[in-house]
C-alpha cells in the first residue's frame, strides 16, 4: 500500500514541498510532465495537482494527504485536519485599499464598499464576524488591478513581501488570517496508511527541527567552561572534549537559529575562541 500525497504542480508551495520531501530522504523522479510519481525508496506516491483542486482530492480520498497553505484550507471549507505546520510559504490574507485612501483604521469603513477577491468564503466569514456589510466581487486572479480599473474600492488577497500591493498603488489595512504551508489529511485514514503518515511525519519533524538549529564548536580555556556551558543549552547538555593543548577544551553543542548572533557575542565575551557554526541536517529527539 502507498501513501498518496498531493502537492502543488506549480505555484508558491511547489518548490518548498519538493525540497522538504527530498530532505526527508525521499527520492522522486523529476519529470515535469509526469503528474503522478512513485518514490523509489519510500511507499509514497506524489500527485502534482492544481492548487485549488487539492482539498477536494483529499476529501474524496483520491489522495490521502497534501501540502497546501492554510489560506487554501480555510477557503476550501473542507473538513481536513492540519497534521503538521511546515514553517515555509508564510503569508497573510489581508484587506488592502488604494494608497491615497484615508483609511480611518476602523473596519467599519468597509461598510457599503466593493471588495474584489479570490477568497470569497474566507472574506465573507470575516465580514460577517465583524458585522460589515460589503459587496464581494469574486475574481480568480490579478486581484490587485481591481481598484485601478474601477471594479472595487479595495481587495482581499494574499500578501507576502508586500511588493505586489506596492507596485499596484495599494496599502494593506487589515489582516484576515496568517498562513503557512502545512500537511493536511482526512480525519480517518486506513491503519496502514496512517502508519505510513506517522513515518513520514517523523522524518518531517526531524528536518524541521534541524532547520531551526545550528551546530556550534568552540575552544575554551578550562576555567571558563562553566560560564560557557551556561550560555549553550545543547539538546541535553554540551559535549566537552580536552584539546591536545593542556588547559583547553573543545565544546560542542546545538543552538537555535534565532538565538544565534546574540549567543555568539556572549560566547566570545566569555572567552570562547575558534568558534565554528555548521548546519544541522536532521535532529531526532
Ligand atoms: C499571490 C497574491 C499576490 C502575491 C503577493 O499570488 O495573489 O498577487 O502573491 O505576494 P507579494 O506580497 O510577495 O508580492 P501568487 O503568486 O501566490 O499566485 P496566485 O495569483 O495564483 O495567488
Amino acid at each position: 500500500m502507498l501513501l498518496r500525497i498531493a502537492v502543488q504542480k506549480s505555484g508558491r508551495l511547489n518548490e518548498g514541498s519538493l525540497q522538504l520531501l527530498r530532505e526527508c530522504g525521499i527520492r522522486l523522479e523529476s519529470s515535469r510532465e509526469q503528474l503522478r510519481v512513485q518514490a523509489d525508496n519510500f511507499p509514497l506516491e506524489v500527485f502534482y495537482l492544481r492548487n485549488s483542486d487539492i482539498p477536494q482530492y483529499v476529501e474524496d480520498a483520491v489522495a490521502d494527504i497534501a501540502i497546501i497553505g492554510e489560506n487554501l484550507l480555510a477557503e476550501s471549507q473542507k473538513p481536513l485536519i492540519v497534521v503538521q505546520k511546515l514553517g515555509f510559504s508564510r503569508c497573510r490574507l489581508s484587506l488592502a485599499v488604494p494608497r491615497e485612501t484615508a483609511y480611518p483604521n476602523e473596519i467599519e469603513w468597509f461598510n457599503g464598499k466593493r471588495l474584489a477577491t479570490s477568497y470569497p468564503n474566507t472574506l465573507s466569514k470575516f465580514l460577517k464576524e465583524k458585522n460589515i456589510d460589503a459587496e464581494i466581487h469574486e475574481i480568480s486572479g490579478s486581484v490587485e488591478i481591481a481598484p485601478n480599473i474601477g471594479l472595487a474600492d479595495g481587495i482581499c488577497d494574499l500578501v507576502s513581501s508586500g511588493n505586489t500591493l506596492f507596485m499596484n498603488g495599494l496599502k494593506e489595512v487589515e489582516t484576515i488570517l496568517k498562513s503557512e504551508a502545512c500537511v493536511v489529511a482526512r480525519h480517518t485514514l486506513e491503519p496502514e496508511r496512517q502508519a505510513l503518515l506517522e513515518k513520514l511525519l517523523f522524518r518531517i519533524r526531524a528536518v524541521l527541527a534541524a532547520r531551526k538549529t545550528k551546530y556550534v564548536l568552540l575552544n575554551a580555556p578550562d576555567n571558563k567552561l562553566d560560564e560557557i556551558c551556561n550560555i549553550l543549552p545543547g539538546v541535553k547538555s554540551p559535549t566537552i572534549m580536552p584539546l591536545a593543548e593542556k588547559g583547553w577544551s573543545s565544546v560542542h553543542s546545538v543552538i537555535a537559529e534565532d538565538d544565534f548572533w546574540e549567543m555568539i557575542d556572549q560566547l566570545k565575551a566569555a572567552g570562547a575562541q575558534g568558534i565554528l557554526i555548521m548546519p544541522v541536517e536532521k535532529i531526532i529527539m
Side-chain angles (χ1 to χ4, degrees):
M1 189 178 272
L2 297 171
L3 182 68
R4 300 159 304 171
I5 183 170
V7 300
Q8 264 190 1
K9 180 172 174 285
S10 58
R12 61 169 66 221
L13 272 76
N14 169 272
E15 205 184 313
S17 308
L18 295 181
Q19 160 110 9
L20 178 66
L21 293 177
R22 257 196 312 273
E23 287 178 32
C24 287
I26 293 168
R27 265 199 315 268
L28 296 165
E29 248 178 71
S30 58
S31 146
R32 277 259 149 208
E33 289 69 39
Q34 218 177 327
L35 300 179
R36 183 178 178 182
V37 177
Q38 198 176 319
D40 57 21
N41 59 351
F42 193 91
L44 187 79
E45 190 169 28
V46 180
F47 298 157
Y48 296 99
L49 301 173
R50 253 186 70 146
N51 191 42
S52 53
D53 295 336
I54 293 178
Q56 185 72 56
Y57 278 108
V58 179
E59 190 189 25
D60 292 347
V62 174
D64 304 305
I65 61 168
I67 298 179
I68 57 172
E70 292 171 295
N71 57 301
L72 176 63
L73 178 61
E75 181 60 22
S76 74
Q77 301 182 316
K78 301 292 182 202
L80 308 178
I81 46 171
V82 174
V83 289
Q84 180 66 49
K85 292 197 184 202
L86 297 173
F88 63 88
S89 287
R90 286 183 199 274
C91 59
R92 51 202 183 270
L93 187 67
S94 292
L95 289 170
V97 296
R99 205 176 297 142
E100 61 280 5
T101 303
Y103 184 73
N105 273 334
E106 279 163 15
I107 191 92
E108 288 70 28
W109 181 87
F110 283 98
N111 265 314
K113 299 287 195 292
R114 298 164 304 157
L115 292 170
T117 190
S118 317
Y119 291 84
N121 296 331
T122 318
L123 176 57
S124 80
K125 184 167 171 259
F126 175 79
L127 293 175
K128 206 170 282 170
E129 278 165 15
K130 300 281 177 191
N131 234 346
I132 305 294
D133 186 16
E135 203 178 300
I136 298 177
H137 286 262
E138 183 180 349
I139 45 180
S140 55
S142 304
V143 171
E144 291 87 353
I145 204 175
N148 288 322
I149 56 173
L151 182 71
D153 304 300
I155 65 161
C156 163
D157 201 11
L158 291 185
V159 183
S160 174
S161 64
N163 203 34
T164 311
L165 288 186
F166 181 78
M167 297 302 282
N168 287 281
L170 301 171
K171 63 178 176 187
E172 189 178 1
V173 291
E174 303 282 346
T175 301
I176 294 183
L177 67 83
K178 291 198 170 147
S179 172
E180 64 185 81
C182 59
V183 179
V184 295
R186 274 191 309 287
H187 272 276
T188 43
L189 292 178
E190 301 92 318
E192 226 176 308
R193 288 203 160 109
Q194 183 65 37
L196 291 176
L197 173 59
E198 296 303 331
K199 211 169 155 184
L200 179 64
L201 287 175
F202 177 78
R203 293 191 187 192
I204 288 176
R205 285 168 188 150
V207 170
L208 296 179
R211 279 184 186 173
K212 289 195 205 131
T213 53
K214 298 275 180 215
Y215 192 82
V216 54
L217 278 127
L218 56 88
N219 296 329
D222 288 345
N223 61 358
K224 295 283 186 182
L225 284 176
D226 284 349
E227 195 178 336
I228 284 174
C229 289
N230 280 336
I231 302 169
L232 288 170
V235 172
K236 208 171 185 73
S237 67
T239 305
I240 299 174
M241 287 183 282
L243 290 187
E245 187 177 330
K246 234 175 163 294
W248 282 79
S249 294
S250 167
V251 182
H252 299 206
S253 190
V254 290
I255 58 176
E257 170 99 69
D258 292 346
D259 303 335
F260 175 73
W261 287 111
E262 203 175 322
M263 214 173 257
I264 297 302
D265 285 343
Q266 289 176 34
L267 290 170
K268 273 172 61 188
Q273 294 182 8
I275 303 173
L276 292 183
I277 308 293
M278 292 185 290
V280 176
E281 202 174 298
K282 314 270 188 300
I283 292 192
I284 316 293
M285 300 301 271

